[in-house]
Amino acid sequence: VKNSILSPGVKVAAGAEVNNSIIFHDTKIGPKAKLKKVICDKDCEIGESSVIGGMGEDIPSKEFGDLLSTGITILGKNSKVPAKTVIGANTAIYSAAAINNSRIEPGSVIR
């Protein structure tokens, strides 16, 4: 964990990397997951070997380009990221949205 803020109850499994991120209460980050510039609301689960952020930092959000253009990825409350999922930068995942694809392109919005 580097340059990040972790709220109480956050669990980071062995081999996971969290960089330049803010992770809120009771979120679980699985083994070998990699997070870069992520703001993650509470009660989320990040699956094993998932990669969130970092990819496509130069691609702004399709809907919120004025707000999400600096490489930040936002995960809403109760988000469940399946194992081995890749989520690009400048992406917004709404609270409890179903993540059905193993790859989400940079700048996407998932409701």
Side-chain angles (χ1 to χ4, degrees):
V1 177
K2 295 180 184 172
N3 299 320
S4 297
I5 297 170
L6 304 182
S7 292
V10 171
K11 291 183 173 47
V12 180
E17 297 176 18
V18 180
N19 294 298
N20 302 313
S21 297
I22 301 170
I23 312 297
F24 287 98
H25 298 74
D26 301 318
T27 291
K28 295 176 183 80
I29 300 171
K32 300 179 188 171
K34 296 183 181 191
L35 284 68
K36 180 179 179 187
K37 290 177 134 180
V38 174
I39 299 174
C40 182
D41 203 346
K42 64 184 182 176
D43 297 317
C44 294
E45 293 179 16
I46 312 299
E48 181 175 356
S49 300
S50 291
V51 178
I52 304 175
M55 174 186 71
E57 290 186 16
D58 58 333
I59 300 170
S61 171
K62 292 173 179 80
E63 287 186 47
F64 307 108
D66 55 330
L67 300 172
L68 288 175
S69 60
T70 60
I72 294 172
T73 301
I74 300 172
L75 295 177
K77 181 179 174 183
N78 294 317
S79 293
K80 308 288 187 244
V81 179
K84 300 180 181 174
T85 299
V86 176
I87 300 175
N90 298 314
T91 294
I93 309 285
Y94 275 66
S95 181
I99 298 174
N100 299 318
N101 297 324
S102 62
R103 182 178 174 91
I104 298 173
E105 295 300 318
S108 297
V109 176
I110 307 296
R111 289 187 166 83

